[in-house]
Structure formats: C-alpha cells, structure tokens
C-alpha cells in the first residue's frame, strides 16, 4: 500500500504545511482530478458500449453529450441500467436505457438546439431551470432525491438575476483566491451549478451527476457559499473515483453497511449514523475543508477571526473523527483494496494538519479540548 505521509513537524510553518497537504490532495491516483475525469469518461464510454451490445440498443443513442444536463441524465441512466443488468434484470435495464433514448429523440425533435444552448463550461449557471424539458427533468430528479433524505426537503428553482450571478461569481472567485490549487482541481469536474430555494443549504446527488445545487440564500455570505461550492464539488470528484476504482467492496450494499456514529448535526435525541459510503464522502470533504479554513486563517492572521478559527477546528475535528473510525475492522471490512489506500491518503493529510501550532497548542489539542 502506498505511504502518503509527509514529513512536517509540529513547528513547521503553516504555509509550508498547507502547500504540502494541497499537493497531496491534488496529485496522484486520488488527487489529480483531470486524470480522474478522463478515466470516468472512458468508463462511461465503455459502459455504454457494453450495455448497448448486451441489451440490443443503438450505441449512437448513448454517446456522450456536450450538454451538462443531458450528460448528467445519460450517466444516471447508465448507472441504473448497469446495476439492473448486474442483478440479472435485463428487461428493466433495457427499459431504463430506452426511456433515456426516447427522451433524447423527443428532445431533439422539439428542441434541436438544446446542446448548443447548454454548451459545457466550468461552473456555468443555467439561465432558467424551467426553460426546457431537460432542466425540469434534472431538477425533478434532484428534488426527489432530497425528499428521500431525512436531512433534505423539496427544492424549487430560484429565479436567476444579474445580481445572483454576480454573487455566485464572487463566491467562486473567493474560493479560487483562498485555495487556488484545490479550486482549480475540483471545479473542472463541475460544468454547471443550479440555484434553488428550500430548507437545504446545498446539495449533490449521484442521480444527477456533474451538477451541484446551491441555495440562493447563502450567496449573501461569500465564505459560506465558497465552502458549499467546494463541498458539493468534492462529492462529484469522489463519485468519479468510486466508479472507476475499487473503493468499496464488490458486494457492498449501503442498506447493509456497518455504520459510524456521528456526534454532530442531530435534530433529536438520537445521534446520526452514517453508512461507510457516506462516511467516505464526509471524510473527503472535511479534509479539504480544513485546508480551506487554514488558508483563510493564514490570510487573516491568527488573532483576527475567531469564527474562522472555530470553523477550522470543527472541520479538522470532523475529519479526524472519520480518520479514527476508518482504522476500525468494521469500517475496513466494507472497503475494497483501493478504499484502504484512499483512507490512508486522507488520514495522512488529517494527521499532518493536526500538527498546526497556534502557539498555545496544536490543532489536534484545540479540537480535543473542545470535545472534552
């Protein structure tokens, strides 16, 4: 197994530690998103070809689309069809792809310019999520997914105005300014962002991959909005990693997975329980989020923002919670060979970041003091 650990000490300067961790998070098998994205494209091209041959469907109807929304729907249908085919349900698998091809044919008949209108750009914002059938279908799929999540709710499209576009751009600019290498790496995997209204602050769903959803209300706070854009974009990156690598064991089932208790975010008396798949997603996000807040704190100065410092400690503490859980047999038994490498990669970053010295103690010490 690869050894991802770096060599900094407790007294190493913040900037040097940040640079080392950022390099680790943006290079290699799990870090270089440009390579991950290309592998995912190859994966879906192969999946489409194999399923078309196996199910007797014209492969030309399953080719990659230049439209972010159509490509999102294509990947979602291929994912579902592959699961059904692997389960032996050839009829349902074929119907899933036929439904997509019928929708695409109908779309091309009524709105032939849709792919040009939605040409892919990094973090493009659609003009109107109710403007065409594709937008409606995508938003409906996302909303249905959020309704099934106990933490979510029904979402509706937000009206796009010059003002909201400007606020979104400010948040993206802030993300690039704060963590330029990480922002450049993760955002190349997100061709489109949608604004919505609802109780949820933001969202990502594998039912509509490649797209992220941000609540219009958070745009007034560029720091929070930047954090959420990073958060949801990282889910897409990990999704691509998981479909092209053996992260989870071959017969992993989320409904039967071991669970890890999460001691934050509960709305009742019972703590939340995360499946291993969800733990990996949170572990991945909070590790990167720690670098985001550490970079902000370096720019502001250690004594200038208690809120940023608290966010840093909280992010690291949560990342470390999953890092410690990942060492248990219950967690490891749900992983594939490359899943073990993934947690080693993330844990190396978390351990190193825990050595950040605030003068009165390390980041790890501050986190442990708050929890005691």
């Amino acid at each position: 197994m690869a050894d991802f650990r770096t060599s900094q000490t407790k007294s190493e300067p913040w900037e040097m530690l940040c640079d080392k961790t950022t390099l680790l998070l943006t290079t290699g098998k799990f870090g270089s998103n440009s390579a991950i994205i290309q592998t995912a494209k190859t994966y879906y091209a192969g999946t489409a070809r194999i399923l078309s041959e196996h199910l007797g469907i014209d492969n030309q109807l399953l080719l990659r689309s230049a439209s972010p929304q159509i490509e999102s729907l294509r990947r979602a249908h291929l994912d579902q069809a592959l699961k059904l085919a692997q389960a032996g349900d050839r009829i349902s698998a074929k119907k899933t792809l036929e439904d997509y091809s019928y929708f695409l044919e109908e779309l091309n008949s009524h709105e032939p310019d849709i792919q040009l209108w939605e040409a892919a750009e990094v973090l493009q914002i659609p003009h109107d999520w109710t403007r065409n059938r594709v937008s409606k279908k995508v938003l409906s799929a996302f909303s249905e997914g959020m309704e099934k999540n106990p933490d979510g709710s029904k979402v509706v499209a937000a009206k796009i105005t010059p003002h909201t576009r400007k606020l979104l751009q400010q948040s993206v600019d802030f993300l690039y300014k704060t963590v330029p290498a990480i922002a450049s790496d993760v955002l190349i995997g997100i061709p489109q962002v949608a604004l919505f209204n609802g109780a949820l602050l933001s969202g990502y769903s594998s039912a509509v991959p490649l797209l992220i959803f941000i609540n219009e209300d958070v745009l007034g706070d560029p720091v929070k909005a930047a954090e959420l854009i990073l958060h949801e974009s990282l889910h897409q990156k990990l999704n691509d990693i998981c479909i092209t690598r053996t992260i989870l064991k071959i017969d992993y089932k989320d409904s039967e997975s071991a669970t890890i208790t999460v001691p934050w975010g509960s709305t009742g008396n019972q703590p939340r329980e995360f499946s291993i798949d969800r733990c990996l997603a949170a572990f991945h996000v909070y590790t990167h989020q720690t670098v985001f807040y550490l970079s902000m704190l370096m720019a502001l100065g250690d004594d200038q923002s208690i809120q940023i410092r608290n966010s840093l400690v909280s992010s690291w503490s949560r990342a470390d919670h999953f890092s410690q859980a990942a060492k248990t047999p219950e967690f490891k038994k749900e992983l594939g060979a490359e899943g073990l490498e993934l947690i080693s990669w993330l844990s190396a970053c978390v351990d190193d970041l825990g050595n950040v010295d605030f003068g009165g103690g390390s980041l790890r010490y501050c986190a442990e003091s708050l929890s005691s």
Side-chain angles (χ1 to χ4, degrees):
M1 185 181 296
D3 183 4
F4 296 102
R5 195 160 302 282
T6 55
S7 59
Q8 72 282 343
T9 64
K10 185 172 181 178
S11 60
E12 188 169 16
W14 292 10
E15 185 174 1
M16 187 178 296
L17 188 150
C18 243
D19 288 345
K20 284 184 176 181
T21 306
T22 296
L23 181 64
L24 194 56
L25 291 174
T26 56
T27 58
K29 180 190 293 188
F30 305 122
S32 176
N33 205 19
S34 58
I36 292 167
I37 290 168
Q38 188 55 53
T39 303
K41 289 179 180 178
T42 302
Y43 165 84
Y44 278 108
T47 299
R49 184 177 64 254
I50 291 170
L51 286 174
S52 66
E53 293 174 356
H54 177 66
L55 301 174
I57 293 178
D58 185 359
N59 187 48
Q60 294 299 308
L61 295 172
L62 302 177
L63 296 179
R64 180 173 175 268
S65 173
S67 159
Q69 294 179 14
I70 295 177
E71 177 63 11
S72 175
L73 293 174
R74 183 184 80 105
R75 291 190 180 193
H77 281 80
L78 286 171
D79 288 340
Q80 181 63 19
L82 181 60
K83 289 179 182 178
L84 291 167
Q86 290 175 327
D89 191 348
R90 188 175 182 276
I91 294 176
S92 295
K94 183 174 183 179
K95 183 179 185 306
T96 296
L97 295 185
E98 286 177 339
D99 287 346
Y100 169 75
S101 63
Y102 293 154
F103 175 78
L104 198 60
E105 289 177 337
E106 182 182 12
L107 185 70
N108 289 334
S109 298
H110 292 86
E111 301 180 62
D113 62 337
I114 183 67
Q115 294 197 20
L116 295 177
W117 176 67
E118 295 289 10
E121 299 172 12
V122 174
L123 275 189
Q124 178 192 45
I125 180 170
H127 293 285
D128 185 350
W129 277 94
T130 62
R131 178 172 172 176
N132 60 65
R133 302 177 194 193
V134 183
S135 299
K136 291 178 180 178
K137 194 174 183 68
V138 166
L139 186 62
S140 176
F142 175 73
S143 186
E144 287 175 9
M146 292 303 100
E147 287 180 344
K148 294 176 183 178
N149 185 336
D151 298 331
S153 64
K154 184 175 179 61
V155 300
V156 296
K159 183 178 180 181
I160 308 302
T161 67
H163 180 60
T164 53
R165 285 179 179 278
K166 180 180 178 180
L167 291 177
L168 177 62
Q169 188 59 54
Q170 288 175 346
S171 300
V172 173
D173 291 345
F174 184 83
L175 182 58
Y176 273 108
K177 180 181 178 180
T178 306
V179 281
I182 289 177
S184 298
D185 176 76
V186 298
L187 294 186
I188 59 172
I190 305 297
Q192 202 164 87
V193 57
L195 299 182
F196 69 90
N197 297 125
L200 202 67
L201 292 180
S202 64
Y204 168 83
S205 173
S206 58
V208 278
L210 301 176
L211 313 175
I212 62 172
F213 298 78
I214 304 296
N215 194 311
E216 179 186 27
D217 291 341
V218 306
L219 295 180
D221 181 349
V223 175
K224 187 62 178 178
E227 177 205 304
L228 293 173
I229 290 169
L230 174 63
H231 181 130
E232 304 305 344
S233 299
L234 284 164
H235 285 327
Q236 173 59 42
K237 181 177 180 179
L238 186 62
N239 185 66
D240 280 347
I241 292 173
C242 287
I243 63 171
T244 57
R245 301 286 182 179
T246 54
I247 302 301
L248 297 166
K249 64 182 183 180
I250 299 299
D251 58 347
Y252 175 85
K253 292 182 180 179
D254 205 58
S255 60
E256 300 176 3
S257 166
T259 60
I260 301 299
T261 300
V262 176
W264 64 83
S266 175
T267 57
N269 295 326
Q270 295 297 320
R272 294 193 295 173
E273 298 287 333
F274 280 16
S275 68
I276 300 306
D277 185 29
R278 191 174 182 185
C279 285
L280 288 174
F283 190 7
H284 189 240
V285 166
Y286 285 124
T287 302
H288 288 77
Q289 196 169 291
T290 300
V291 179
F292 173 71
Y293 280 114
L294 179 59
S295 297
M296 282 186 61
L297 199 59
M298 285 194 301
L300 293 172
D302 185 22
D303 60 346
Q304 292 188 31
S305 178
I306 295 177
Q307 182 178 351
I308 298 304
R309 179 170 172 154
N310 289 343
S311 295
L312 168 62
V313 173
S314 174
S315 297
W316 182 87
S317 179
R318 294 180 182 189
D320 186 60
H321 179 80
F322 292 113
S323 180
Q324 298 307 316
K327 297 175 183 178
T328 64
E330 293 78 15
F331 197 113
K332 289 183 176 180
K333 74 177 183 180
E334 302 288 355
L335 302 177
E338 289 170 299
L340 295 172
E341 288 186 59
L342 179 71
I343 62 173
S344 175
W345 173 68
L346 290 172
S347 291
C349 294
V350 173
D351 289 346
D352 291 342
L353 289 167
N355 291 328
V356 170
D357 193 345
F358 289 111
S362 68
L363 180 52
R364 180 181 295 277
Y365 174 79
C366 292
E368 290 174 349
S369 297
L370 286 176
S371 62
S372 62

